[in-house]
Amino acid sequence: GKHYFTSTATGSSPVWDMRTSGPKSVVGKASAYVVGAKVAGIPAPSGPQDVDWLQVKNVEGSLAAMIYRTDTVGGQPPSSVR
């Protein structure tokens, strides 16, 4: 599948899209995607070098009702750009 962000009325929202690639059981299904909205978040328990953990609810599509982002090793932007 693909993961990207899209512009919505409330700003930028994450999308998980498996309509064209992913498990054979969902590829080709028009509703095999999720546009999400943040429900809650906590700092990653492994430390500030890792991206926060999030609970995201579905606001569009039917791939999943909830998504939990917990595999977030690394990913923080650098403190400055050279």
Side-chain angles (χ1 to χ4, degrees):
K2 298 176 185 175
H3 175 49
Y4 54 91
F5 291 84
T6 190
S7 294
T8 61
T10 59
S12 180
S13 295
V15 178
W16 290 266
D17 189 343
M18 295 197 181
R19 293 174 287 189
T20 60
S21 64
K24 291 180 182 181
S25 60
V26 295
V27 170
K29 293 185 178 180
S31 62
Y33 71 99
V34 169
V35 176
K38 180 180 174 180
V39 174
I42 62 169
S46 51
Q49 73 280 0
D50 298 332
V51 175
D52 291 351
W53 287 12
L54 291 181
Q55 177 185 6
V56 179
K57 69 178 179 178
N58 176 329
V59 295
E60 186 179 325
S62 65
L63 184 62
M66 287 283 180
I67 296 170
Y68 298 88
R69 183 182 75 185
T70 59
D71 187 6
T72 61
V73 174
Q76 291 290 0
S79 57
S80 65
V81 179
R82 296 181 194 200

Coordinates of all heavy atoms in Angstrom, one line a residue:
G1 N 0.8 -1.2 0.0 CA 0.0 0.0 0.0 C 0.8 1.3 0.0 O 2.1 1.2 0.0
K2 N 0.2 2.4 0.0 CA 0.8 3.7 0.0 C 0.4 4.5 1.2 O -0.8 4.4 1.6 CB 0.5 4.5 -1.3 CG 1.0 3.8 -2.5 CD 0.5 4.6 -3.7 CE 0.9 3.8 -5.0 NZ 0.3 4.5 -6.2
H3 N 1.3 5.3 1.8 CA 1.0 6.2 2.9 C 1.4 7.6 2.5 O 2.6 7.8 2.0 CB 1.7 5.7 4.1 CG 1.5 6.7 5.3 ND1 0.3 7.2 5.7 CD2 2.5 7.2 6.1 CE1 0.5 7.9 6.7 NE2 1.8 8.0 7.0
Y4 N 0.5 8.5 2.5 CA 0.8 9.9 2.1 C -0.1 10.8 2.9 O -0.9 10.4 3.7 CB 0.7 10.1 0.6 CG -0.6 9.6 0.0 CD1 -1.7 10.5 -0.1 CD2 -0.8 8.3 -0.4 CE1 -2.9 10.1 -0.6 CE2 -2.0 7.9 -1.0 CZ -3.0 8.8 -1.1 OH -4.2 8.4 -1.6
F5 N 0.0 12.1 2.6 CA -0.8 13.1 3.3 C -1.6 13.8 2.2 O -1.2 14.0 1.1 CB 0.0 14.1 4.1 CG 0.6 13.4 5.3 CD1 1.8 12.7 5.2 CD2 0.0 13.5 6.6 CE1 2.4 12.1 6.3 CE2 0.5 12.9 7.7 CZ 1.7 12.2 7.6
T6 N -2.8 14.2 2.6 CA -3.7 15.0 1.7 C -4.2 16.2 2.4 O -4.3 16.2 3.6 CB -4.8 14.1 1.1 OG1 -5.5 14.8 0.1 CG2 -5.8 13.7 2.2
S7 N -4.6 17.2 1.6 CA -5.1 18.5 2.1 C -6.6 18.2 2.4 O -7.3 17.7 1.5 CB -5.0 19.6 1.2 OG -3.6 19.9 1.1
T8 N -7.1 18.6 3.6 CA -8.5 18.5 3.9 C -9.0 19.9 4.5 O -8.2 20.8 4.6 CB -8.7 17.4 5.0 OG1 -8.0 17.8 6.2 CG2 -8.3 16.1 4.5
A9 N -10.2 20.0 4.8 CA -10.8 21.2 5.4 C -10.1 21.6 6.7 O -10.1 22.7 7.0 CB -12.3 21.1 5.5
T10 N -9.6 20.6 7.4 CA -9.0 20.9 8.7 C -7.5 20.9 8.6 O -6.8 21.0 9.6 CB -9.4 19.8 9.7 OG1 -9.0 18.5 9.2 CG2 -10.9 19.8 10.0
G11 N -6.9 20.9 7.4 CA -5.4 20.9 7.3 C -4.9 19.7 6.5 O -5.5 19.3 5.5
S12 N -3.9 19.1 7.0 CA -3.3 17.9 6.3 C -3.7 16.7 7.1 O -3.6 16.6 8.3 CB -1.7 18.1 6.3 OG -1.1 17.0 5.7
S13 N -4.1 15.7 6.3 CA -4.5 14.4 6.9 C -3.8 13.2 6.3 O -3.5 13.2 5.1 CB -6.0 14.2 6.7 OG -6.8 15.2 7.4
P14 N -3.4 12.2 7.2 CA -2.8 11.0 6.7 C -3.7 10.1 5.9 O -4.9 10.0 6.2 CB -2.2 10.4 7.9 CG -3.2 10.7 9.0 CD -3.7 12.1 8.6
V15 N -3.2 9.5 4.9 CA -3.9 8.5 4.1 C -3.2 7.2 4.0 O -1.9 7.2 3.8 CB -4.2 9.1 2.7 CG1 -4.9 8.0 1.8 CG2 -4.9 10.4 2.7
W16 N -3.8 6.1 4.2 CA -3.3 4.8 4.0 C -4.1 4.2 2.8 O -5.4 4.0 2.9 CB -3.4 3.9 5.2 CG -2.5 4.3 6.3 CD1 -1.2 3.8 6.5 CD2 -2.7 5.3 7.3 NE1 -0.7 4.4 7.6 CE2 -1.6 5.4 8.1 CE3 -3.8 6.1 7.6 CZ2 -1.5 6.2 9.2 CZ3 -3.7 7.0 8.7 CH2 -2.5 7.0 9.5
D17 N -3.5 3.9 1.7 CA -4.2 3.6 0.4 C -3.8 2.3 -0.1 O -2.6 2.1 -0.5 CB -4.0 4.8 -0.6 CG -4.8 4.7 -1.8 OD1 -5.4 3.6 -2.1 OD2 -4.9 5.7 -2.5
M18 N -4.7 1.3 -0.2 CA -4.3 0.0 -0.8 C -5.2 -0.3 -2.0 O -5.4 -1.5 -2.3 CB -4.5 -1.0 0.3 CG -3.5 -0.8 1.4 SD -3.3 -2.3 2.4 CE -2.0 -1.7 3.6
R19 N -5.7 0.7 -2.6 CA -6.6 0.5 -3.8 C -5.8 -0.1 -5.0 O -6.3 -0.8 -5.8 CB -7.3 1.8 -4.2 CG -8.3 2.2 -3.1 CD -9.0 3.5 -3.4 NE -8.0 4.5 -3.2 CZ -8.3 5.8 -3.2 NH1 -9.6 6.2 -3.5 NH2 -7.4 6.7 -2.9
T20 N -4.5 0.3 -5.1 CA -3.7 -0.1 -6.3 C -2.6 -1.0 -5.9 O -2.0 -1.7 -6.8 CB -3.2 1.1 -7.1 OG1 -2.4 1.9 -6.2 CG2 -4.3 1.9 -7.6
S21 N -2.2 -1.1 -4.6 CA -1.1 -2.0 -4.2 C -1.4 -2.4 -2.8 O -1.8 -1.6 -2.0 CB 0.3 -1.4 -4.4 OG 0.4 -0.3 -3.6
G22 N -1.1 -3.6 -2.5 CA -1.3 -4.1 -1.1 C -1.7 -5.6 -1.2 O -1.6 -6.3 -2.2
P23 N -2.4 -6.1 -0.1 CA -2.9 -7.4 -0.1 C -3.9 -7.7 -1.2 O -4.7 -6.8 -1.5 CB -3.5 -7.6 1.2 CG -2.9 -6.5 2.1 CD -2.6 -5.4 1.1
K24 N -3.9 -8.8 -1.9 CA -4.8 -9.2 -2.9 C -6.2 -9.1 -2.5 O -7.1 -8.8 -3.3 CB -4.5 -10.6 -3.5 CG -3.2 -10.7 -4.2 CD -3.0 -12.1 -4.7 CE -1.6 -12.2 -5.4 NZ -1.4 -13.5 -6.0
S25 N -6.5 -9.2 -1.2 CA -7.9 -9.2 -0.7 C -8.5 -7.8 -0.8 O -9.7 -7.7 -0.7 CB -7.9 -9.7 0.7 OG -7.1 -8.9 1.6
V26 N -7.7 -6.7 -0.9 CA -8.2 -5.4 -0.9 C -7.9 -4.6 -2.2 O -8.6 -3.7 -2.5 CB -7.8 -4.6 0.3 CG1 -8.3 -5.1 1.6 CG2 -6.3 -4.4 0.4
V27 N -6.8 -5.0 -2.9 CA -6.5 -4.3 -4.2 C -7.7 -4.3 -5.1 O -8.3 -5.3 -5.3 CB -5.2 -4.9 -4.8 CG1 -5.0 -4.3 -6.2 CG2 -4.0 -4.6 -4.0
G28 N -8.0 -3.1 -5.7 CA -9.1 -3.0 -6.6 C -10.4 -2.6 -6.0 O -11.3 -2.3 -6.7
K29 N -10.5 -2.6 -4.7 CA -11.7 -2.2 -4.0 C -11.7 -0.7 -3.8 O -10.7 -0.1 -3.3 CB -11.8 -2.9 -2.7 CG -12.1 -4.4 -2.8 CD -12.3 -5.0 -1.5 CE -12.6 -6.5 -1.7 NZ -12.8 -7.2 -0.4
A30 N -12.7 0.0 -4.3 CA -12.8 1.4 -4.2 C -12.7 2.0 -2.8 O -12.2 3.1 -2.7 CB -14.1 1.9 -4.9
S31 N -13.0 1.3 -1.8 CA -13.0 1.8 -0.5 C -11.8 1.3 0.4 O -11.8 1.5 1.6 CB -14.3 1.4 0.3 OG -14.4 0.0 0.4
A32 N -10.8 0.7 -0.3 CA -9.6 0.2 0.4 C -8.6 1.3 0.7 O -7.5 1.2 0.3 CB -9.0 -0.9 -0.4
Y33 N -9.1 2.3 1.5 CA -8.2 3.3 1.9 C -8.8 3.9 3.2 O -9.9 3.7 3.6 CB -8.1 4.4 0.9 CG -9.3 5.3 0.7 CD1 -9.4 6.5 1.3 CD2 -10.4 4.8 -0.1 CE1 -10.6 7.3 1.2 CE2 -11.5 5.6 -0.2 CZ -11.6 6.8 0.4 OH -12.7 7.5 0.3
V34 N -8.0 4.7 3.9 CA -8.4 5.4 5.1 C -7.8 6.8 5.1 O -6.6 7.0 4.8 CB -7.9 4.7 6.4 CG1 -8.2 5.6 7.6 CG2 -8.6 3.4 6.6
V35 N -8.7 7.8 5.2 CA -8.2 9.2 5.5 C -8.4 9.3 7.0 O -9.5 9.1 7.5 CB -9.0 10.2 4.8 CG1 -8.5 11.6 5.2 CG2 -8.9 10.1 3.3
G36 N -7.4 9.7 7.8 CA -7.4 9.6 9.2 C -7.4 11.0 9.9 O -7.1 12.0 9.3
A37 N -7.8 11.0 11.1 CA -7.8 12.2 12.0 C -7.3 11.7 13.4 O -7.7 10.7 13.9 CB -9.2 12.8 12.1
K38 N -6.4 12.5 13.9 CA -5.8 12.2 15.2 C -6.8 12.2 16.3 O -7.6 13.1 16.4 CB -4.7 13.2 15.5 CG -4.0 13.0 16.9 CD -2.9 14.1 17.1 CE -2.3 13.9 18.5 NZ -1.3 15.0 18.7
V39 N -6.8 11.1 17.1 CA -7.7 11.0 18.3 C -6.8 11.3 19.5 O -7.3 12.1 20.4 CB -8.2 9.6 18.4 CG1 -9.0 9.4 19.7 CG2 -9.1 9.3 17.2
A40 N -5.6 10.7 19.6 CA -4.8 10.9 20.8 C -3.4 10.6 20.5 O -3.1 10.0 19.5 CB -5.3 10.0 21.9
G41 N -2.4 11.1 21.3 CA -1.0 10.8 21.1 C -0.3 10.9 22.4 O -0.7 11.5 23.3
I42 N 0.8 10.1 22.4 CA 1.7 10.2 23.6 C 3.2 10.2 23.0 O 3.4 9.7 21.9 CB 1.5 9.0 24.5 CG1 1.8 7.6 23.8 CG2 0.1 9.0 25.1 CD1 1.9 6.4 24.8
P43 N 4.1 10.7 23.8 CA 5.5 10.6 23.4 C 5.9 9.1 23.3 O 5.5 8.3 24.1 CB 6.3 11.3 24.5 CG 5.3 12.2 25.2 CD 3.9 11.5 25.1
A44 N 6.7 8.8 22.3 CA 7.2 7.5 22.2 C 8.0 7.1 23.5 O 8.8 7.8 24.0 CB 8.2 7.3 21.0
P45 N 7.6 5.9 24.0 CA 8.3 5.5 25.3 C 9.8 5.3 25.2 O 10.5 5.3 26.2 CB 7.5 4.2 25.7 CG 6.9 3.8 24.5 CD 6.7 4.9 23.6
S46 N 10.3 5.1 24.0 CA 11.7 4.9 23.8 C 12.5 6.1 23.8 O 13.8 6.1 23.8 CB 11.9 4.1 22.4 OG 11.2 4.8 21.4
G47 N 11.9 7.3 23.8 CA 12.6 8.6 23.9 C 12.3 9.6 22.8 O 11.6 9.3 21.9
P48 N 12.8 10.8 23.0 CA 12.4 11.9 22.1 C 13.0 11.8 20.7 O 12.6 12.6 19.8 CB 12.9 13.2 22.9 CG 14.0 12.7 23.7 CD 13.6 11.3 24.1
Q49 N 13.9 10.9 20.5 CA 14.5 10.7 19.2 C 13.5 10.1 18.2 O 13.6 10.1 17.0 CB 15.8 9.9 19.2 CG 15.6 8.5 19.5 CD 15.4 8.1 21.0 OE1 15.4 9.0 21.8 NE2 15.3 6.8 21.3
D50 N 12.4 9.4 18.8 CA 11.4 8.7 18.0 C 10.1 9.6 17.9 O 9.8 10.3 18.8 CB 11.1 7.4 18.6 CG 12.4 6.5 18.6 OD1 13.3 6.7 17.7 OD2 12.5 5.6 19.5
V51 N 9.4 9.4 16.8 CA 8.2 10.1 16.6 C 7.1 9.6 17.6 O 7.1 8.4 17.9 CB 7.7 9.8 15.1 CG1 6.4 10.4 14.8 CG2 8.7 10.3 14.1
D52 N 6.3 10.5 18.0 CA 5.2 10.2 18.9 C 4.3 9.1 18.5 O 4.1 8.9 17.3 CB 4.3 11.4 19.2 CG 5.0 12.5 20.0 OD1 6.1 12.3 20.4 OD2 4.4 13.6 20.0
W53 N 3.7 8.3 19.4 CA 2.7 7.3 19.1 C 1.4 8.0 19.0 O 1.1 8.9 19.7 CB 2.7 6.3 20.2 CG 3.9 5.4 20.3 CD1 5.1 5.5 19.6 CD2 4.0 4.2 21.0 NE1 5.9 4.5 19.9 CE2 5.3 3.6 20.8 CE3 3.1 3.5 21.9 CZ2 5.7 2.4 21.4 CZ3 3.6 2.4 22.5 CH2 4.8 1.8 22.2
L54 N 0.6 7.5 18.0 CA -0.7 8.2 17.8 C -1.8 7.1 17.6 O -1.6 6.0 17.2 CB -0.7 8.9 16.4 CG 0.1 10.2 16.3 CD1 -0.1 10.8 14.9 CD2 -0.3 11.2 17.4
Q55 N -3.0 7.5 18.0 CA -4.2 6.8 17.7 C -5.0 7.7 16.6 O -5.2 8.9 16.9 CB -5.1 6.6 18.9 CG -6.4 5.9 18.6 CD -7.4 5.9 19.8 OE1 -7.1 6.4 20.8 NE2 -8.5 5.2 19.6
V56 N -5.3 7.1 15.5 CA -5.9 7.8 14.4 C -7.2 7.2 14.0 O -7.3 5.9 13.9 CB -5.0 7.8 13.1 CG1 -5.6 8.5 12.0 CG2 -3.6 8.4 13.5
K57 N -8.3 8.0 13.9 CA -9.6 7.4 13.5 C -9.9 7.6 12.1 O -9.4 8.5 11.4 CB -10.7 8.0 14.4 CG -11.0 9.5 14.0 CD -12.1 10.0 14.8 CE -12.4 11.5 14.5 NZ -13.5 12.0 15.2
N58 N -10.7 6.7 11.5 CA -11.1 6.8 10.1 C -12.1 7.9 10.0 O -13.1 8.0 10.7 CB -11.7 5.5 9.7 CG -12.3 5.5 8.3 OD1 -12.8 6.5 7.8 ND2 -12.3 4.3 7.7
V59 N -11.9 8.8 9.0 CA -12.9 9.8 8.6 C -13.4 9.6 7.2 O -14.4 10.2 6.8 CB -12.4 11.2 8.8 CG1 -12.2 11.5 10.3 CG2 -11.2 11.5 8.0
E60 N -12.7 8.7 6.4 CA -13.2 8.4 5.1 C -12.5 7.1 4.6 O -11.4 6.8 5.0 CB -12.8 9.5 4.1 CG -13.3 9.4 2.7 CD -12.8 10.6 1.9 OE1 -12.7 11.7 2.4 OE2 -12.6 10.3 0.7
G61 N -13.2 6.3 3.8 CA -12.8 5.0 3.4 C -13.2 3.9 4.3 O -13.9 4.2 5.3
S62 N -12.8 2.7 4.0 CA -13.3 1.6 4.9 C -12.2 0.5 5.1 O -12.5 -0.6 5.5 CB -14.5 0.9 4.3 OG -14.3 0.3 3.1
L63 N -10.9 0.9 4.9 CA -9.8 -0.1 5.1 C -9.7 -0.5 6.6 O -9.4 -1.6 6.9 CB -8.5 0.5 4.6 CG -7.3 -0.4 4.7 CD1 -7.5 -1.6 3.8 CD2 -6.1 0.4 4.2
A64 N -9.9 0.5 7.5 CA -9.8 0.2 8.9 C -10.6 1.3 9.7 O -10.8 2.4 9.2 CB -8.3 0.3 9.4
A65 N -11.0 1.0 10.9 CA -11.7 1.9 11.7 C -10.8 2.8 12.5 O -11.0 4.0 12.7 CB -12.7 1.2 12.7
M66 N -9.7 2.2 13.0 CA -8.7 2.9 13.8 C -7.3 2.4 13.4 O -7.1 1.3 12.9 CB -8.8 2.5 15.3 CG -9.9 3.1 16.0 SD -9.6 4.8 16.4 CE -11.1 5.2 17.2
I67 N -6.3 3.3 13.5 CA -4.9 3.0 13.2 C -4.1 3.5 14.4 O -4.3 4.6 14.9 CB -4.5 3.7 11.9 CG1 -5.3 3.2 10.7 CG2 -3.0 3.5 11.7 CD1 -5.1 3.9 9.4
Y68 N -3.2 2.6 14.8 CA -2.3 3.0 15.9 C -0.9 3.0 15.4 O -0.4 2.0 14.9 CB -2.4 1.9 17.0 CG -3.8 1.9 17.6 CD1 -4.8 1.1 17.1 CD2 -4.1 2.7 18.7 CE1 -6.1 1.1 17.6 CE2 -5.4 2.7 19.2 CZ -6.4 1.9 18.7 OH -7.7 1.9 19.2
R69 N -0.3 4.2 15.4 CA 1.1 4.4 15.0 C 2.0 4.2 16.1 O 2.1 5.0 17.0 CB 1.3 5.8 14.3 CG 2.7 6.0 13.8 CD 2.9 7.3 13.2 NE 3.0 8.3 14.3 CZ 3.1 9.6 14.2 NH1 3.1 10.1 13.0 NH2 3.3 10.4 15.2
T70 N 2.7 3.0 16.2 CA 3.6 2.7 17.3 C 5.0 2.3 16.9 O 5.8 2.2 17.8 CB 3.0 1.6 18.2 OG1 2.8 0.4 17.4 CG2 1.6 2.0 18.8
D71 N 5.2 2.0 15.6 CA 6.5 1.6 15.2 C 7.2 2.9 14.6 O 7.2 3.1 13.4 CB 6.4 0.5 14.1 CG 7.7 -0.1 13.7 OD1 8.8 0.3 14.3 OD2 7.7 -0.8 12.8
T72 N 7.8 3.7 15.5 CA 8.3 5.0 15.1 C 9.7 5.3 15.5 O 10.1 6.4 15.9 CB 7.4 6.1 15.8 OG1 7.5 5.9 17.2 CG2 5.9 5.9 15.4
V73 N 10.6 4.3 15.3 CA 12.0 4.5 15.6 C 12.6 5.5 14.6 O 12.5 5.4 13.4 CB 12.8 3.1 15.5 CG1 14.3 3.4 15.7 CG2 12.3 2.2 16.5
G74 N 13.3 6.5 15.2 CA 13.8 7.6 14.4 C 12.7 8.5 13.9 O 11.6 8.5 14.4
G75 N 13.0 9.2 12.8 CA 11.9 10.0 12.2 C 11.8 11.4 12.6 O 11.1 12.2 11.9
Q76 N 12.5 11.8 13.7 CA 12.4 13.2 14.1 C 13.2 14.1 13.1 O 14.3 13.6 12.7 CB 12.9 13.4 15.5 CG 12.0 12.8 16.6 CD 10.7 13.6 16.7 OE1 10.4 14.6 16.0 NE2 9.9 13.1 17.6
P77 N 12.8 15.2 12.8 CA 13.5 16.1 11.9 C 14.8 16.6 12.6 O 14.8 16.7 13.8 CB 12.6 17.2 11.5 CG 11.6 17.3 12.7 CD 11.5 15.9 13.2
P78 N 15.8 17.0 11.8 CA 17.0 17.5 12.5 C 16.8 18.8 13.1 O 15.8 19.5 12.8 CB 18.0 17.6 11.3 CG 17.2 17.7 10.1 CD 15.9 16.9 10.4
S79 N 17.6 19.2 14.1 CA 17.3 20.4 14.9 C 17.7 21.6 14.0 O 17.2 22.7 14.2 CB 18.2 20.4 16.1 OG 19.5 20.2 15.8
S80 N 18.5 21.4 13.0 CA 18.9 22.5 12.1 C 19.2 21.9 10.7 O 19.6 20.8 10.6 CB 20.0 23.4 12.6 OG 21.2 22.6 12.6
V81 N 19.1 22.8 9.7 CA 19.4 22.3 8.3 C 20.6 23.1 7.9 O 20.7 24.3 8.0 CB 18.2 22.6 7.4 CG1 18.6 22.2 5.9 CG2 17.0 21.9 7.8
R82 N 21.6 22.4 7.3 CA 22.8 23.1 6.9 C 22.7 23.6 5.5 O 22.1 23.2 4.7 CB 24.0 22.1 7.0 CG 24.3 21.6 8.4 CD 25.4 20.7 8.4 NE 25.4 20.0 9.7 CZ 26.5 19.4 10.1 NH1 27.6 19.4 9.4 NH2 26.4 18.8 11.3

